[in-house]
Amino acid sequence: EPEVTQTPSHQVTQMGQEVILRCVPISNHLYFYWYRQILGQKVEFLVSFYNNEISEKSEIFDDQFSVERPDGSNFTLKIRSTKLEDSAMYFCASSEGTTLGGEQYFGPGTRLTVT
Amino acid sequence: AQKVTQAQTEISVVEKEDVTLDCVYETRDTTYYLFWYKQPPSGELVFLIRRNSFDEQNEISGRYSWNFQKSTISFNFTITASQVVDSAVYFCALSGSGAGSYQLTFGKGTKLSVIP
């Protein structure tokens, strides 16, 4: 069964460093998403991506964040200068996008720890 | 603005008991979609169900059932004869049809502990 994969599973970085979180969405899906979950809290939407551009983004997704689809399979989230409050689980998701409200399939997440 | 409220923060039940997880939502969209996801201790998010706003039929899948009622803007989830493997955090989520239509708005989750 196709699945969304994410690497690394855990990333530790120092405050101020840049990090890139990687995702491989399901191959025939058209919409890609990043969400984050601070420990013990709810899952929050960051950004959605379609047709090689951002389609929606939340207030959390400020200038420190960027997304890219560098090739036909990977989808990346870059945080330019990490802060302590960026410590969270980051989930990538993808959906077919052919119907509104389609199921979003989530990857296993990358736990980012900023020290 | 969309909002999902899961008033139950934590629930503990003894194995084989039935348990209902509540979800109340708010949206201005006339067409919207409701979801339930399970997050086991391992941390991944597992899709359980999606409902359209124009389909209020209840759904049953094995020990799981969902009760969608637009009149009370609720989408409750019942687990029958609970098992230890059901222990997880369960999230209710909402997506709309207007601006922001593809993003999921999650509730804060309900942590279910099933005690053997």
Side-chain angles (χ1 to χ4, degrees):
Chain A
E1 186 176 328
E3 58 183 18
V4 177
T5 60
Q6 290 184 244
T7 54
S9 57
H10 190 191
Q11 172 102 38
V12 181
T13 189
Q14 287 190 330
M15 197 167 53
Q17 295 295 305
E18 174 184 286
V19 294
I20 297 176
L21 310 183
R22 291 184 167 78
C23 167
V24 179
I26 295 173
S27 62
N28 63 336
H29 284 187
L30 302 177
Y31 276 82
F32 315 118
Y33 312 82
W34 284 102
Y35 291 81
R36 79 170 186 193
Q37 184 183 30
I38 295 171
L39 186 63
Q41 298 188 24
K42 68 177 180 180
V43 180
E44 300 173 291
F45 169 78
L46 292 177
V47 65
S48 63
F49 192 85
Y50 170 72
N51 200 25
N52 284 320
E53 60 182 24
I54 292 174
S55 50
E56 297 163 351
K57 61 182 181 179
S58 71
E59 292 175 353
I60 303 169
F61 193 87
D62 61 22
D63 292 344
Q64 291 297 313
F65 292 90
S66 62
V67 289
E68 193 177 33
R69 188 154 164 82
D71 52 43
S73 59
N74 289 285
F75 179 50
T76 62
L77 174 69
K78 182 194 291 187
I79 308 175
R80 287 192 185 82
S81 178
T82 50
K83 306 175 197 143
L84 293 176
E85 53 265 37
D86 293 327
S87 294
M89 180 76 91
Y90 288 81
F91 291 102
C92 173
S94 68
S95 65
E96 287 183 352
T98 52
T99 57
L100 214 53
E103 295 97 301
Q104 294 182 21
Y105 293 91
F106 285 79
T110 292
R111 180 164 298 286
L112 176 65
T113 303
V114 183
T115 61
Chain B
Q2 299 185 126
K3 186 178 177 182
V4 175
T5 301
Q6 295 179 256
Q8 304 149 308
T9 305
E10 292 192 42
I11 300 176
S12 289
V13 298
V14 176
E15 202 171 18
K16 296 185 184 173
E17 286 184 349
D18 299 347
V19 59
T20 295
L21 309 182
D22 298 332
C23 172
V24 174
Y25 62 92
E26 294 175 32
T27 180
R28 291 198 183 106
D29 292 334
T30 52
T31 301
Y32 51 88
Y33 302 82
L34 293 159
F35 304 79
W36 277 94
Y37 284 85
K38 174 182 180 180
Q39 186 174 45
S42 49
E44 71 271 25
L45 287 165
V46 179
F47 167 80
L48 294 178
I49 191 171
R50 177 192 72 172
R51 298 301 282 175
N52 302 318
S53 56
F54 42 84
D55 182 1
E56 284 192 74
Q57 275 193 338
N58 291 332
E59 183 154 338
I60 297 174
S61 176
R63 296 185 295 108
Y64 295 169
S65 62
W66 291 269
N67 182 1
F68 174 31
Q69 292 195 332
K70 288 173 81 167
S71 60
T72 55
I73 49 170
S74 64
F75 185 44
N76 296 337
F77 173 30
T78 297
I79 302 174
T80 304
S82 59
Q83 299 176 1
V84 173
V85 293
D86 296 327
S87 296
V89 180
Y90 290 86
F91 290 97
C92 181
L94 167 70
S95 71
S97 58
S101 54
Y102 283 91
Q103 62 178 270
L104 291 175
T105 299
F106 284 83
K108 291 185 177 180
T110 297
K111 182 178 180 180
L112 174 65
S113 299
V114 181
I115 303 162

